[in-house]
Amino acid sequence: MDFKKSKKLLAILAASYWALVLIIDLAAGSRFHFTSVTTDALSASGTIGELTEGVTVTQTIEAPAEQITQIEVLASTYGRSASGTLHIALLDEAGEILAQQDADAAALEDGRYTTIPFQTPFYTEPGKRLTLQLTTTGSEQGGSISVYYGNTVTAGRFDVVKNIAEEDQYKVDGVSGQGMLCVKLSGIRALTFYRDYWLIVAGVFAVIVLLCKRWWKQAKMGRNNPLVSVCILQTRYSFLLRQLVSRDFKTKYKRSVLGMAWSFLNPLLTMSVQYIVFSTLFKSDIPNYPVYLLSGIVFFNFFNEAVGMCMTSITGNASLIKKVYMPKYIYPVSRILSSLVNFGLALIPLFLVTLITGTRITPALLLLVFDILCLLGFVMGMGLLLTTAMTFFQDTQFLWGVISMMWMYLTPVFYPESIIPAKFLTLYHMNPMYQYITFARICIIDGVSPEPMAYLWCIVSSLVVLALGIVTFKRNQDKFVLYL
């Protein structure tokens, strides 16, 4: 190992680490300080009757956060022009008014949640029981509004029955109703993560430094370890790696008239077909569906292509492996890097569609660097696992064809997450590709940073699978030649 060049490489990696830390800190903004919280949405089962002047409707409701910013009301105007003013008040246990807001009854949408922001947000304790009070003025029988009530919570396409205690049911002039009002409180909850952010990244860096020092001492003693492998790959085999990547990339488009243009056309054509099918025939109502669809296609195609190419990297280079000695991990790494080049080209039409659809460009796009790095680690781990399996069992490639198709349908590439039953959501969210694609969509479509937990999911899934792949590949690589 060339220790001089290796020191330079480690310095570059350390600088890259802190650059990424700064990018995340700057681009994440308030998402590391606060998070928006909203109470559950109830499915409407009926209305409470006309809310005329003199009628008082009350209900107990829990505060979702420290700062309450708005309330959403599912009102009914009975399909006519409503008159009067709706008065909304939130009271504490002593009956003191904490916040109040008025809304023009004529401005309320019939059968849809209407957002009514509080002009002066108020502070309380999360989980504290408040009393919601609704009254009207200037409204008469036959021209007033009503409010929907329900007893089921919407979860995806399904409704889950909610056990409502009698004291939590809505009351009209003190008489209990048959459920809870279809209202939602929204607020802002402070996060403690930001205060710990720099401690976390500094602690991770310290652990990495200590680990690298240990590996460095082992390298001087002639012992192999992951640090030695990375340094050798960069200092001794970088030229060969570039040639292998170039060969794989050129082979993919050999004898193709359009050549590299397929890197742009393939995701665009796939998006066009699926857009017509799901937005027209199936009436998909996902906001900004072209960007939603294309982002899912581009990210999942990279995963599928990289893992598929990596899987045959050892068996496909059998003649070279038998004749020339090189670290065997070079072959899967070269396949993944060639797929990464294709992925980079596929991102160009994604950003073009983003601009064409008028999606707001924000600094949150810089966070895609973190997402792509985590995805790259996950792909590398999966590739090493399947490369090892493929060398011993040739049927792996056929099994992977079926598994990858199932994986695509278990990932929200072209459909919304809301169609998944509530009881399966926890398991559904454990899909790493769900995390990477959702992370990217939040950055691109919403223009904000995902919440801190999304970063943790991406890091953990990437590192765990990468570690499993490296250990499995390293323990079995000496046996590969016996099966080629």
Side-chain angles (χ1 to χ4, degrees):
M1 186 173 78
D2 189 328
F3 288 96
K4 185 177 181 180
K5 290 183 178 180
S6 298
K7 286 182 179 180
K8 184 178 179 180
L9 174 63
L10 292 177
I12 293 173
L13 292 176
S16 301
Y17 174 86
W18 286 109
L20 181 61
V21 166
L22 288 173
I23 288 174
I24 293 174
D25 179 57
L26 294 174
S30 61
R31 297 286 284 186
F32 278 6
H33 296 261
F34 308 100
T35 184
S36 299
V37 184
T38 303
T39 54
D40 292 331
L42 290 175
S43 297
S45 57
T47 62
I48 63 173
E50 288 191 274
L51 188 53
T52 56
E53 187 170 349
V55 175
T56 301
V57 179
T58 58
Q59 179 190 285
T60 301
I61 190 170
E62 288 189 359
E66 295 95 337
Q67 183 181 0
I68 308 301
T69 57
Q70 66 183 32
I71 185 170
E72 296 176 63
V73 179
L74 184 61
S76 171
T77 64
Y78 297 104
R80 65 198 177 199
S81 179
S83 60
T85 302
L86 173 65
H87 304 286
I88 302 171
L90 287 171
L91 297 78
D92 61 14
E93 295 177 351
E96 296 290 330
I97 297 177
L98 300 174
Q100 54 186 354
Q101 188 64 44
D102 297 338
D104 184 1
L108 298 177
E109 296 185 70
D110 188 15
R112 299 183 64 180
Y113 276 100
T114 302
T115 301
I116 305 171
F118 290 108
Q119 291 182 353
T120 305
F122 70 95
Y123 291 86
T124 182
E125 298 177 6
K128 186 175 182 179
R129 295 173 68 81
L130 308 173
T131 299
L132 171 66
Q133 178 179 284
L134 304 178
T135 57
T136 62
T137 55
S139 59
E140 298 179 355
Q141 191 75 26
S144 61
I145 63 167
S146 184
V147 179
Y148 283 95
Y149 70 89
N151 58 6
T152 58
V153 178
T154 301
R157 290 191 311 171
F158 304 89
D159 294 330
V160 180
V161 177
K162 184 175 182 179
N163 294 322
I164 302 174
E166 184 176 352
E167 61 269 20
D168 292 333
Q169 295 177 349
Y170 73 87
K171 295 178 175 61
V172 179
D173 292 335
V175 179
S176 297
Q178 303 174 31
M180 295 181 68
L181 299 176
C182 292
V183 296
K184 296 187 290 183
L185 277 184
S186 297
I188 297 175
R189 179 179 296 171
L191 298 176
T192 60
F193 176 77
Y194 183 77
R195 296 199 296 267
D196 302 327
Y197 176 71
W198 290 102
L199 291 175
I200 293 172
V201 297
V204 171
F205 185 75
V207 171
I208 294 174
V209 169
L210 292 174
L211 194 58
C212 286
K213 281 187 176 181
R214 179 183 177 186
W215 286 341
W216 190 267
K217 290 180 181 179
Q218 292 178 351
K220 288 185 175 180
M221 298 170 59
R223 297 173 61 183
N224 194 17
N225 55 59
L227 179 63
V228 173
S229 299
V230 172
C231 291
I232 288 177
L233 183 64
Q234 195 275 333
T235 59
R236 191 180 302 175
Y237 295 105
S238 58
F239 175 78
L240 175 62
L241 188 61
R242 287 195 297 270
Q243 295 303 310
L244 290 173
V245 171
S246 177
R247 182 201 66 177
D248 292 337
F249 191 73
K250 290 177 180 178
T251 301
K252 181 177 181 179
Y253 298 111
K254 187 178 181 181
R255 297 178 181 177
S256 172
V257 176
L258 296 178
M260 286 183 8
W262 281 112
S263 296
F264 303 90
L265 291 174
N266 187 46
L268 284 175
L269 293 174
T270 304
M271 183 209 71
S272 300
V273 173
Q274 293 187 352
Y275 179 79
I276 293 173
V277 172
F278 293 103
S279 67
T280 305
L281 300 182
F282 293 162
K283 304 296 183 184
S284 175
D285 56 355
I286 300 174
N288 203 348
Y289 189 60
V291 178
Y292 180 93
L293 178 59
L294 188 56
S295 58
I297 291 172
V298 168
F299 274 76
F300 195 88
N301 279 358
F302 166 61
F303 163 71
N304 195 30
E305 177 191 280
V307 173
M309 289 182 62
C310 184
M311 183 170 53
T312 58
S313 59
I314 296 298
T315 55
N317 290 285
S319 58
L320 195 59
I321 292 174
K322 290 179 180 179
K323 295 176 181 178
V324 182
Y325 171 76
M326 286 184 294
K328 295 180 181 62
Y329 59 82
I330 287 180
Y331 300 105
V333 169
S334 67
R335 293 287 180 89
I336 289 175
L337 290 180
S338 64
S339 295
L340 185 63
V341 173
N342 197 45
F343 175 60
L345 294 174
L347 287 175
I348 296 175
L350 172 59
F351 291 132
L352 288 176
V353 172
T354 300
L355 292 173
I356 293 171
T357 55
T359 305
R360 188 167 57 98
I361 304 300
T362 68
L365 282 178
L366 296 174
L367 297 173
L368 289 178
V369 175
F370 171 85
D371 188 37
I372 292 171
L373 286 175
C374 290
L375 175 59
L376 184 61
F378 177 74
V379 166
M380 185 74 73
M382 285 294 301
L384 293 175
L385 286 170
L386 289 176
T387 298
T388 305
M390 177 66 181
T391 306
F392 297 124
F393 309 104
Q394 295 293 313
D395 293 343
T396 302
Q397 59 184 326
F398 305 112
L399 290 173
W400 173 246
V402 177
I403 292 173
S404 63
M405 182 176 63
M406 290 175 56
W407 203 323
M408 182 187 70
Y409 286 115
L410 291 173
T411 305
V413 174
F414 50 82
Y415 61 83
E417 177 189 348
S418 58
I419 69 172
I420 304 300
K423 60 182 179 181
F424 297 128
L425 280 177
T426 301
L427 185 62
Y428 185 77
H429 291 165
M430 294 177 68
N431 174 5
M433 288 307 301
Y434 164 85
Q435 298 295 334
Y436 301 131
I437 292 176
T438 302
F439 192 106
R441 284 171 173 161
I442 292 174
C443 296
I444 298 171
I445 300 176
D446 299 335
V448 298
S449 165
E451 295 186 356
M453 188 58 67
Y455 289 83
L456 180 62
W457 271 107
C458 290
I459 291 174
V460 170
S461 60
S462 177
L463 293 181
V464 169
V465 175
L466 179 60
L468 286 173
I470 291 174
V471 171
T472 302
F473 187 88
K474 185 177 179 181
R475 289 184 176 180
N476 293 279
Q477 62 180 342
D478 293 336
K479 304 174 185 177
F480 288 169
V481 70
L482 301 176
Y483 292 85
L484 297 178

